[in-house]
Structures are given as structure tokens and as C-alpha cells.
Coordinates of all heavy atoms in Angstrom, one line a residue:
M1 N 0.9 -1.2 0.0 CA 0.0 0.0 0.0 C 0.9 1.3 0.0 O 1.7 1.4 0.9 CB -0.9 0.0 1.2 CG -2.0 1.1 1.2 SD -3.1 0.9 2.6 CE -2.1 1.4 3.9
A2 N 0.7 2.1 -1.0 CA 1.6 3.3 -1.1 C 1.0 4.4 -0.2 O -0.2 4.4 0.1 CB 1.5 3.8 -2.5
L3 N 2.0 5.2 0.3 CA 1.6 6.3 1.2 C 1.8 7.6 0.5 O 2.7 7.8 -0.3 CB 2.4 6.2 2.4 CG 2.2 5.1 3.4 CD1 3.1 5.1 4.6 CD2 0.7 5.1 3.9
Q4 N 1.0 8.6 0.8 CA 1.2 9.9 0.3 C 1.1 10.9 1.5 O 0.6 10.5 2.5 CB 0.2 10.3 -0.7 CG -1.3 10.3 -0.2 CD -2.2 10.8 -1.2 OE1 -1.9 11.3 -2.2 NE2 -3.5 10.5 -1.0
R5 N 1.6 12.1 1.3 CA 1.5 13.1 2.4 C 0.3 13.9 2.2 O 0.0 14.4 1.1 CB 2.7 14.0 2.3 CG 3.3 14.3 3.7 CD 4.6 15.0 3.6 NE 5.7 14.0 3.8 CZ 6.2 13.6 5.0 NH1 5.7 14.1 6.1 NH2 7.2 12.8 5.1
C6 N -0.5 14.1 3.3 CA -1.7 14.9 3.2 C -1.3 16.4 3.1 O -0.5 16.9 3.9 CB -2.5 14.7 4.5 SG -3.8 15.9 4.7
P7 N -1.8 17.1 2.1 CA -1.4 18.5 2.0 C -2.0 19.4 3.1 O -1.6 20.5 3.4 CB -2.1 18.9 0.7 CG -2.8 17.7 0.2 CD -2.7 16.6 1.1
G8 N -3.0 18.8 3.8 CA -3.6 19.6 4.9 C -2.8 19.5 6.2 O -2.5 20.6 6.8
C9 N -2.4 18.4 6.6 CA -1.8 18.2 7.9 C -0.4 17.6 7.8 O 0.4 17.5 8.7 CB -2.6 17.4 8.9 SG -2.8 15.7 8.3
R10 N 0.0 17.2 6.5 CA 1.4 16.7 6.3 C 1.6 15.4 6.9 O 2.8 15.0 7.1 CB 2.5 17.7 6.6 CG 2.3 19.0 5.9 CD 3.5 19.9 6.0 NE 3.3 21.2 5.3 CZ 3.4 21.3 4.0 NH1 3.7 20.2 3.2 NH2 3.1 22.4 3.4
K11 N 0.6 14.6 7.3 CA 0.8 13.3 7.9 C 0.7 12.3 6.7 O 0.1 12.6 5.7 CB -0.3 13.0 8.9 CG 0.1 13.7 10.2 CD -1.0 13.4 11.3 CE -0.7 14.1 12.6 NZ -1.8 14.7 13.2
K12 N 1.3 11.1 6.9 CA 1.3 10.1 5.8 C 0.0 9.4 5.9 O -0.4 8.9 7.0 CB 2.5 9.2 6.0 CG 3.7 9.8 5.4 CD 4.9 8.8 5.6 CE 6.2 9.5 5.1 NZ 7.4 8.8 5.6
I13 N -0.7 9.3 4.8 CA -1.9 8.5 4.7 C -1.9 7.7 3.5 O -1.1 7.8 2.6 CB -3.1 9.5 4.7 CG1 -3.0 10.4 3.5 CG2 -3.3 10.3 6.0 CD1 -4.3 11.2 3.2
S14 N -2.8 6.7 3.4 CA -2.9 5.8 2.3 C -3.2 6.6 1.0 O -4.0 7.5 1.0 CB -4.0 4.8 2.6 OG -4.4 4.2 1.4
E15 N -2.6 6.1 -0.1 CA -2.8 6.8 -1.4 C -4.2 6.6 -1.9 O -4.7 7.4 -2.7 CB -1.8 6.2 -2.4 CG -1.4 7.2 -3.5 CD -0.2 6.7 -4.3 OE1 -0.3 5.6 -4.7 OE2 0.7 7.5 -4.4
S16 N -4.9 5.6 -1.4 CA -6.2 5.3 -1.9 C -7.3 6.1 -1.1 O -8.5 6.0 -1.4 CB -6.5 3.8 -1.9 OG -6.3 3.3 -0.6
A17 N -6.9 6.7 0.0 CA -7.8 7.4 0.8 C -8.4 8.6 0.1 O -7.7 9.3 -0.6 CB -7.1 7.8 2.1
K18 N -9.7 8.7 0.2 CA -10.4 9.9 -0.4 C -10.5 11.0 0.6 O -10.8 12.2 0.3 CB -11.8 9.5 -0.8 CG -11.9 8.5 -1.9 CD -11.9 9.1 -3.2 CE -11.8 8.0 -4.3 NZ -10.5 7.3 -4.4
L19 N -10.2 10.7 1.9 CA -10.4 11.7 2.9 C -9.2 11.4 4.0 O -9.0 10.3 4.3 CB -11.7 11.5 3.6 CG -12.4 12.7 4.3 CD1 -12.8 13.7 3.3 CD2 -13.6 12.3 5.1
C20 N -8.6 12.5 4.4 CA -7.5 12.3 5.4 C -8.1 12.0 6.7 O -9.0 12.6 7.2 CB -6.7 13.6 5.5 SG -5.5 13.6 6.9
P21 N -7.7 10.9 7.3 CA -8.3 10.5 8.6 C -7.8 11.4 9.8 O -8.4 11.3 10.8 CB -7.7 9.0 8.8 CG -6.5 8.9 8.0 CD -6.7 9.9 6.9
H22 N -6.8 12.2 9.6 CA -6.3 13.1 10.6 C -7.0 14.4 10.6 O -7.3 14.9 11.7 CB -4.8 13.2 10.5 CG -4.0 11.9 10.4 ND1 -3.9 11.1 11.5 CD2 -3.4 11.3 9.4 CE1 -3.2 10.0 11.2 NE2 -2.9 10.1 9.9
C23 N -7.1 15.0 9.4 CA -7.6 16.4 9.4 C -8.9 16.5 8.5 O -9.3 17.6 8.2 CB -6.6 17.4 8.9 SG -6.1 17.2 7.2
A24 N -9.3 15.4 7.9 CA -10.5 15.3 7.1 C -10.3 16.1 5.8 O -11.2 16.6 5.2 CB -11.7 15.8 7.8
F25 N -9.0 16.3 5.4 CA -8.8 16.9 4.1 C -9.3 16.0 3.0 O -9.0 14.8 3.0 CB -7.3 17.1 3.9 CG -6.9 17.8 2.6 CD1 -6.9 19.2 2.5 CD2 -6.6 17.0 1.5 CE1 -6.6 19.8 1.3 CE2 -6.3 17.6 0.3 CZ -6.3 19.0 0.2
S26 N -10.0 16.5 2.0 CA -10.7 15.7 1.0 C -9.8 15.8 -0.3 O -9.3 16.8 -0.7 CB -12.1 16.3 0.7 OG -12.6 15.6 -0.4
F27 N -9.7 14.6 -0.9 CA -8.9 14.5 -2.1 C -9.8 14.5 -3.3 O -9.4 14.1 -4.4 CB -8.0 13.2 -2.1 CG -6.9 13.4 -1.1 CD1 -7.0 13.0 0.2 CD2 -5.7 13.9 -1.6 CE1 -5.9 13.1 1.0 CE2 -4.6 14.1 -0.7 CZ -4.8 13.7 0.6
A28 N -11.0 14.8 -3.1 CA -12.0 14.9 -4.3 C -11.5 16.0 -5.2 O -10.8 17.0 -4.8 CB -13.4 15.2 -3.8
E29 N -11.8 15.9 -6.5 CA -11.3 16.8 -7.5 C -11.6 18.2 -7.2 O -10.7 19.1 -7.2 CB -12.0 16.4 -8.9 CG -11.2 16.9 -10.1 CD -10.1 15.9 -10.5 OE1 -9.8 15.0 -9.7 OE2 -9.6 16.1 -11.6
A30 N -12.8 18.5 -6.9 CA -13.2 19.9 -6.6 C -12.4 20.5 -5.4 O -12.0 21.6 -5.5 CB -14.7 19.9 -6.3
D31 N -12.2 19.7 -4.4 CA -11.5 20.2 -3.2 C -10.1 20.4 -3.6 O -9.5 21.4 -3.1 CB -11.6 19.2 -2.1 CG -13.0 19.2 -1.5 OD1 -13.7 20.3 -1.6 OD2 -13.5 18.2 -0.9
L32 N -9.5 19.6 -4.4 CA -8.1 19.8 -4.8 C -7.9 21.1 -5.6 O -7.0 21.9 -5.4 CB -7.6 18.6 -5.7 CG -7.0 17.4 -4.9 CD1 -6.6 16.4 -5.9 CD2 -5.9 17.9 -4.0
E33 N -8.9 21.4 -6.4 CA -8.9 22.7 -7.1 C -8.9 23.9 -6.2 O -8.2 24.8 -6.3 CB -10.1 22.8 -8.1 CG -9.9 21.9 -9.4 CD -8.6 22.3 -10.1 OE1 -8.5 23.5 -10.4 OE2 -7.9 21.3 -10.4
K34 N -9.8 23.7 -5.2 CA -9.9 24.8 -4.1 C -8.6 24.9 -3.4 O -8.1 26.0 -3.2 CB -11.0 24.3 -3.2 CG -12.1 25.4 -3.0 CD -13.1 25.0 -2.0 CE -14.1 23.9 -2.4 NZ -15.0 23.5 -1.4
Y35 N -8.0 23.8 -3.1 CA -6.7 23.8 -2.4 C -5.6 24.5 -3.2 O -4.8 25.3 -2.7 CB -6.3 22.4 -2.0 CG -5.0 22.3 -1.3 CD1 -4.9 22.8 0.0 CD2 -3.9 21.8 -1.9 CE1 -3.7 22.7 0.7 CE2 -2.7 21.7 -1.3 CZ -2.6 22.1 0.0 OH -1.4 22.1 0.7
K36 N -5.6 24.2 -4.5 CA -4.6 24.8 -5.4 C -4.8 26.4 -5.4 O -3.9 27.1 -5.4 CB -4.7 24.3 -6.8 CG -3.9 23.0 -6.9 CD -4.1 22.5 -8.4 CE -3.7 21.0 -8.5 NZ -4.3 20.4 -9.7
A37 N -6.1 26.8 -5.5 CA -6.4 28.2 -5.5 C -5.9 28.9 -4.2 O -5.3 30.0 -4.3 CB -7.9 28.4 -5.6
V38 N -6.1 28.2 -3.1 CA -5.6 28.8 -1.8 C -4.1 28.9 -1.8 O -3.5 29.9 -1.4 CB -6.1 27.9 -0.6 CG1 -5.4 28.3 0.6 CG2 -7.6 28.0 -0.5
L39 N -3.4 27.8 -2.3 CA -2.0 27.8 -2.4 C -1.5 29.0 -3.3 O -0.5 29.7 -2.9 CB -1.5 26.5 -3.0 CG -1.2 25.4 -2.0 CD1 -0.4 24.3 -2.7 CD2 -0.3 25.9 -0.9
E40 N -2.1 29.2 -4.4 CA -1.8 30.3 -5.4 C -1.9 31.6 -4.7 O -1.1 32.5 -4.8 CB -2.6 30.2 -6.6 CG -2.4 31.2 -7.6 CD -1.0 31.2 -8.2 OE1 -0.3 30.2 -8.1 OE2 -0.6 32.2 -8.8
Q41 N -3.0 31.8 -4.0 CA -3.3 33.0 -3.2 C -2.2 33.3 -2.2 O -1.7 34.4 -2.1 CB -4.6 32.9 -2.5 CG -5.8 33.7 -3.2 CD -7.1 33.5 -2.5 OE1 -7.1 33.0 -1.4 NE2 -8.2 33.8 -3.2
R42 N -1.8 32.2 -1.5 CA -0.8 32.4 -0.5 C 0.5 32.8 -1.1 O 1.3 33.6 -0.6 CB -0.7 31.0 0.3 CG -0.3 31.2 1.7 CD -0.3 29.9 2.4 NE -1.6 29.3 2.6 CZ -1.9 28.1 3.0 NH1 -0.9 27.3 3.3 NH2 -3.1 27.7 3.2
R43 N 0.8 32.2 -2.3 CA 2.1 32.5 -3.0 C 2.1 33.9 -3.4 O 3.1 34.6 -3.2 CB 2.2 31.6 -4.2 CG 3.6 31.4 -4.7 CD 3.6 30.5 -6.0 NE 2.7 31.1 -7.0 CZ 3.2 32.1 -7.8 NH1 4.4 32.6 -7.6 NH2 2.4 32.6 -8.7
Q44 N 1.0 34.4 -3.9 CA 1.0 35.8 -4.3 C 1.1 36.8 -3.1 O 1.7 37.8 -3.2 CB -0.3 36.1 -5.1 CG -0.3 35.7 -6.5 CD -1.6 35.8 -7.3 OE1 -2.6 36.2 -6.7 NE2 -1.6 35.3 -8.5
H45 N 0.4 36.3 -2.0 CA 0.5 37.1 -0.8 C 1.9 37.2 -0.3 O 2.4 38.3 0.0 CB -0.4 36.5 0.2 CG -0.5 37.2 1.5 ND1 -1.1 38.4 1.6 CD2 0.0 37.0 2.8 CE1 -1.0 38.9 2.9 NE2 -0.3 38.0 3.6
N46 N 2.7 36.1 -0.4 CA 4.1 36.1 0.1 C 4.9 37.0 -0.8 O 5.8 37.7 -0.4 CB 4.6 34.7 0.1 CG 4.1 33.9 1.3 OD1 3.7 34.5 2.2 ND2 4.2 32.6 1.2
A47 N 4.7 36.9 -2.2 CA 5.4 37.8 -3.1 C 5.2 39.2 -2.8 O 6.1 40.0 -2.8 CB 5.0 37.4 -4.5
E48 N 4.0 39.6 -2.4 CA 3.6 41.0 -2.1 C 4.4 41.4 -0.9 O 5.0 42.5 -0.8 CB 2.1 41.0 -1.9 CG 1.6 42.4 -1.5 CD 1.6 43.4 -2.7 OE1 1.6 42.9 -3.8 OE2 1.6 44.6 -2.5
I49 N 4.4 40.5 0.2 CA 5.2 40.9 1.4 C 6.6 41.0 1.1 O 7.3 42.0 1.6 CB 4.9 39.7 2.4 CG1 3.5 39.8 3.0 CG2 6.0 39.8 3.6 CD1 3.2 38.7 3.9
N50 N 7.2 40.2 0.2 CA 8.6 40.3 -0.1 C 8.9 41.7 -0.8 O 9.9 42.3 -0.5 CB 9.0 39.2 -1.1 CG 9.3 37.9 -0.3 OD1 9.5 37.9 0.9 ND2 9.4 36.8 -1.0
R51 N 8.0 42.1 -1.7 CA 8.2 43.4 -2.4 C 8.2 44.5 -1.3 O 9.0 45.4 -1.4 CB 7.1 43.6 -3.4 CG 7.5 43.3 -4.8 CD 6.6 44.0 -5.8 NE 5.2 43.6 -5.6 CZ 4.6 42.6 -6.2 NH1 5.3 41.8 -7.0 NH2 3.4 42.2 -6.0
K52 N 7.3 44.4 -0.4 CA 7.2 45.5 0.6 C 8.4 45.5 1.5 O 8.9 46.6 1.8 CB 5.9 45.2 1.5 CG 4.7 45.8 0.8 CD 3.5 45.6 1.7 CE 2.2 46.0 1.0 NZ 1.0 45.4 1.6
S53 N 8.9 44.3 1.8 CA 10.1 44.3 2.7 C 11.3 44.8 2.0 O 12.2 45.4 2.7 CB 10.3 42.9 3.3 OG 11.1 42.2 2.5
V54 N 11.4 44.6 0.7 CA 12.6 45.2 0.0 C 12.5 46.7 0.0 O 13.5 47.4 0.2 CB 12.5 44.6 -1.5 CG1 13.4 45.5 -2.4 CG2 13.0 43.2 -1.5
K55 N 11.3 47.2 -0.2 CA 11.1 48.7 -0.1 C 11.5 49.2 1.3 O 12.2 50.2 1.4 CB 9.7 49.0 -0.4 CG 9.5 50.3 -1.3 CD 8.1 50.6 -1.6 CE 7.5 49.9 -2.8 NZ 6.1 50.2 -3.1
L56 N 11.1 48.5 2.3 CA 11.3 48.9 3.7 C 12.9 48.9 3.9 O 13.4 49.8 4.5 CB 10.7 47.9 4.6 CG 10.5 48.4 6.0 CD1 9.4 49.6 6.0 CD2 10.0 47.3 7.0
H57 N 13.6 47.9 3.4 CA 15.0 47.9 3.6 C 15.7 49.1 2.9 O 16.6 49.6 3.4 CB 15.6 46.6 3.0 CG 15.4 45.4 3.9 ND1 14.9 44.2 3.5 CD2 15.7 45.3 5.2 CE1 14.8 43.4 4.6 NE2 15.4 44.0 5.6
L58 N 15.2 49.4 1.7 CA 15.7 50.6 1.0 C 15.5 51.9 1.8 O 16.4 52.7 2.0 CB 15.0 50.7 -0.3 CG 15.7 50.0 -1.5 CD1 14.9 50.2 -2.8 CD2 17.1 50.6 -1.7
I59 N 14.3 52.0 2.4 CA 14.0 53.2 3.2 C 15.0 53.3 4.4 O 15.6 54.3 4.7 CB 12.6 53.2 3.7 CG1 11.6 53.4 2.5 CG2 12.4 54.2 4.8 CD1 10.2 53.2 2.8
W60 N 15.2 52.1 5.1 CA 16.1 52.1 6.2 C 17.6 52.4 5.8 O 18.3 53.1 6.5 CB 16.1 50.7 6.9 CG 15.0 50.7 7.9 CD1 13.9 49.9 7.8 CD2 14.8 51.5 9.1 NE1 13.1 50.1 8.9 CE2 13.6 51.1 9.7 CE3 15.6 52.5 9.7 CZ2 13.1 51.7 10.8 CZ3 15.1 53.0 10.9 CH2 13.9 52.6 11.4
F61 N 17.9 52.0 4.6 CA 19.3 52.2 4.1 C 19.5 53.7 3.9 O 20.5 54.3 4.2 CB 19.5 51.5 2.8 CG 20.9 51.7 2.2 CD1 22.0 51.2 2.7 CD2 21.0 52.6 1.1 CE1 23.2 51.5 2.2 CE2 22.2 52.8 0.5 CZ 23.3 52.3 1.1
V62 N 18.4 54.4 3.3 CA 18.5 55.8 3.0 C 18.6 56.6 4.4 O 19.4 57.5 4.5 CB 17.2 56.3 2.2 CG1 17.1 57.8 2.2 CG2 17.3 55.7 0.8
I63 N 17.8 56.2 5.3 CA 17.8 56.9 6.6 C 19.2 56.7 7.3 O 19.8 57.7 7.8 CB 16.7 56.3 7.6 CG1 15.3 56.7 7.1 CG2 17.0 56.7 9.0 CD1 14.2 56.0 7.8
F64 N 19.7 55.5 7.2 CA 21.1 55.2 7.7 C 22.1 56.1 7.0 O 23.0 56.8 7.7 CB 21.4 53.8 7.5 CG 22.7 53.3 8.1 CD1 22.8 53.2 9.5 CD2 23.8 53.0 7.3 CE1 24.0 52.8 10.0 CE2 24.9 52.6 7.8 CZ 25.1 52.5 9.2
A65 N 22.0 56.2 5.7 CA 23.0 57.0 4.9 C 22.9 58.5 5.3 O 23.9 59.2 5.5 CB 22.8 56.8 3.4
V66 N 21.7 59.0 5.5 CA 21.5 60.4 5.9 C 22.0 60.7 7.3 O 22.7 61.7 7.5 CB 19.9 60.7 5.8 CG1 19.7 62.1 6.5 CG2 19.5 60.8 4.4
V67 N 21.8 59.7 8.2 CA 22.3 59.9 9.6 C 23.8 59.9 9.6 O 24.4 60.8 10.2 CB 21.8 58.8 10.5 CG1 22.6 58.7 11.8 CG2 20.3 58.9 10.7
I68 N 24.5 59.0 8.8 CA 25.9 59.0 8.7 C 26.4 60.3 8.1 O 27.4 60.9 8.6 CB 26.4 57.8 7.9 CG1 26.0 56.5 8.6 CG2 27.9 57.9 7.6 CD1 26.8 56.2 9.8
G69 N 25.7 60.8 7.0 CA 26.1 62.0 6.4 C 26.1 63.2 7.3 O 27.0 64.0 7.4
V70 N 25.0 63.3 8.0 CA 24.8 64.4 9.0 C 25.8 64.4 10.1 O 26.4 65.4 10.5 CB 23.4 64.4 9.5 CG1 23.2 65.3 10.7 CG2 22.3 64.8 8.5
A71 N 26.1 63.2 10.6 CA 27.1 63.0 11.7 C 28.5 63.5 11.2 O 29.2 64.2 12.0 CB 27.1 61.6 12.1
S72 N 28.9 63.1 10.0 CA 30.2 63.4 9.5 C 30.3 64.9 9.2 O 31.3 65.6 9.5 CB 30.6 62.6 8.3 OG 29.9 63.0 7.2
W73 N 29.2 65.5 8.7 CA 29.1 66.9 8.5 C 29.2 67.7 9.8 O 29.9 68.7 9.9 CB 27.8 67.3 7.7 CG 27.5 68.7 7.6 CD1 28.1 69.6 6.7 CD2 26.6 69.5 8.4 NE1 27.6 70.8 6.9 CE2 26.7 70.8 8.0 CE3 25.8 69.2 9.5 CZ2 25.9 71.9 8.5 CZ3 25.0 70.2 10.1 CH2 25.1 71.5 9.6
W74 N 28.6 67.2 10.8 CA 28.6 67.8 12.1 C 30.0 67.8 12.7 O 30.4 68.8 13.2 CB 27.7 66.9 13.1 CG 27.1 67.7 14.2 CD1 27.6 67.8 15.4 CD2 25.8 68.3 14.2 NE1 26.7 68.6 16.2 CE2 25.6 68.9 15.4 CE3 24.8 68.5 13.2 CZ2 24.5 69.7 15.8 CZ3 23.7 69.3 13.5 CH2 23.5 69.8 14.8
Q75 N 30.7 66.7 12.5 CA 32.1 66.6 13.1 C 33.0 67.6 12.3 O 33.8 68.3 12.9 CB 32.6 65.2 13.0 CG 32.1 64.3 14.1 CD 32.6 62.9 14.0 OE1 33.1 62.5 13.0 NE2 32.5 62.2 15.1
N76 N 32.9 67.6 11.0 CA 33.8 68.5 10.2 C 33.5 70.0 10.5 O 34.4 70.8 10.6 CB 33.5 68.2 8.7 CG 34.1 66.8 8.3 OD1 35.0 66.3 9.1 ND2 33.6 66.3 7.2
G77 N 32.2 70.3 10.6 CA 31.8 71.7 10.8 C 32.1 72.2 12.2 O 32.4 73.4 12.4
G78 N 31.9 71.3 13.2 CA 32.0 71.7 14.6 C 33.5 71.8 14.9 O 33.9 72.8 15.6
Ligands
ZN101 ZN1 -4.6 15.6 6.9

């Protein structure tokens, strides 16, 4: 009997099972489509978060550069 991993709870279950005995994840065609849609949504959400965090890092870098610049100007001028 072959085993497969349940996409819902990641426990090993029988490949012939139509329903996960641990989390009741359904392997019916319609439910798999739904599950793929959720995965795709999650992937896009993560990509969005990555884009935002890159922007945030850039902002922090600019602030850091300005602070360093002002500090060195302060020392030279003072
Ligand atoms: Zn499961």
C-alpha cells in the first residue's frame, strides 16, 4: 500500500484514501482545485510581502546614509 503526504496536515496517509483520517482533508477533484487556489493566493500574498520588505530595507538604508552623512558633516563643521 503506497503512502502519500496529506497537504492539509502533512501526515502520511494511504494513497487510496479519499479523505484524510487526521484532518479530514478531501482528495476529491473539486476540493483539490480549491486547495490549489488557496496555495496560489498564499504564494501571491508572500510575493507581495517580499516586495514590501525590499522597499522597507531601502528606506532604512536611506535613513542610515542620511544619519551618517549628517554626523560626519557635524564633526567636520564643529
Ligand atoms: Zn490531513
Side-chain angles (χ1 to χ4, degrees):
M1 190 174 68
L3 290 176
Q4 66 174 344
R5 219 170 264 276
C6 166
C9 64
R10 300 190 181 283
K11 283 181 180 139
K12 279 180 184 165
I13 57 167
S14 161
E15 208 168 50
S16 57
K18 295 270 177 290
L19 207 71
C20 173
H22 305 290
C23 69
F25 180 88
S26 172
F27 287 91
E29 201 86 347
D31 286 335
L32 273 182
E33 284 304 308
K34 238 186 281 176
Y35 178 69
K36 276 182 201 160
V38 168
L39 270 191
E40 177 64 16
Q41 259 178 12
R42 210 173 290 168
R43 203 182 58 78
Q44 280 172 4
H45 183 69
N46 283 343
E48 180 73 19
I49 286 175
N50 277 347
R51 258 201 303 273
K52 274 182 191 160
S53 91
V54 164
K55 218 182 269 179
L56 199 69
H57 279 129
L58 267 178
I59 289 170
W60 276 114
F61 177 74
V62 168
I63 290 172
F64 184 71
V66 166
V67 167
I68 294 290
V70 167
S72 71
W73 171 77
W74 208 268
Q75 278 181 344
N76 289 340

